[in-house]
Amino acid sequence: MARTPPPASANPLVFEEWAKDLPTTVWVARRLCDYIHLRDDDGGSTDVHPWVLKGEETGRGPDNEPLVLDVEPVALIAESVIAEAEGVVARQRGARGPLHRPARFSRGGSG
């Protein structure tokens, strides 16, 4: 019997109502950087890549992130896009932002 792969953690790109006053650039950058620490935690592994995925939401993970099944990769996000997103987040000031922010973002907060 084949095992079903575990659900994948995902970070939706849907613009949340509470964030309607944020510039789209800031919203997308924050979403892209929410899990950038996974690469850092894995020793800078080049095997950790952000993707745009399509899938069926099946529940919530330990960080309250959506978990998806039947994942279909739509696009690999280019390293240059991640670098630009990191710059946008690093320039933000305020209390909002990912709960687990890499040390390189500790100068600011986003929001």
Side-chain angles (χ1 to χ4, degrees):
M1 181 170 163
R3 285 185 51 158
T4 303
S9 293
N11 203 349
L13 293 176
V14 174
F15 222 86
E16 299 286 347
E17 181 63 27
W18 63 264
K20 66 182 178 198
D21 295 330
L22 284 176
T24 302
T25 303
V26 172
W27 173 257
V28 172
R30 287 172 42 145
R31 303 315 293 193
L32 291 174
C33 290
D34 270 347
Y35 290 97
I36 201 72
H37 67 276
L38 295 176
R39 183 178 291 175
D40 296 344
D41 292 349
D42 198 27
S45 172
T46 57
D47 292 335
V48 178
H49 302 286
W51 289 83
V52 175
L53 304 172
K54 188 173 163 181
E56 177 187 342
E57 187 172 335
T58 186
R60 295 281 173 170
D63 292 327
N64 200 34
E65 77 280 10
L67 299 176
V68 291
L69 286 174
D70 301 325
V71 173
E72 178 185 334
V74 175
L76 175 66
I77 299 173
E79 291 298 322
S80 60
V81 173
I82 298 304
E84 185 175 342
E86 289 177 320
V88 168
V89 171
R91 289 188 296 274
Q92 296 304 297
R93 300 293 178 254
R96 289 185 181 168
L99 296 175
H100 182 95
R101 171 146 312 142
R104 65 181 167 265
F105 295 150
S106 64
R107 294 180 305 279
S110 58

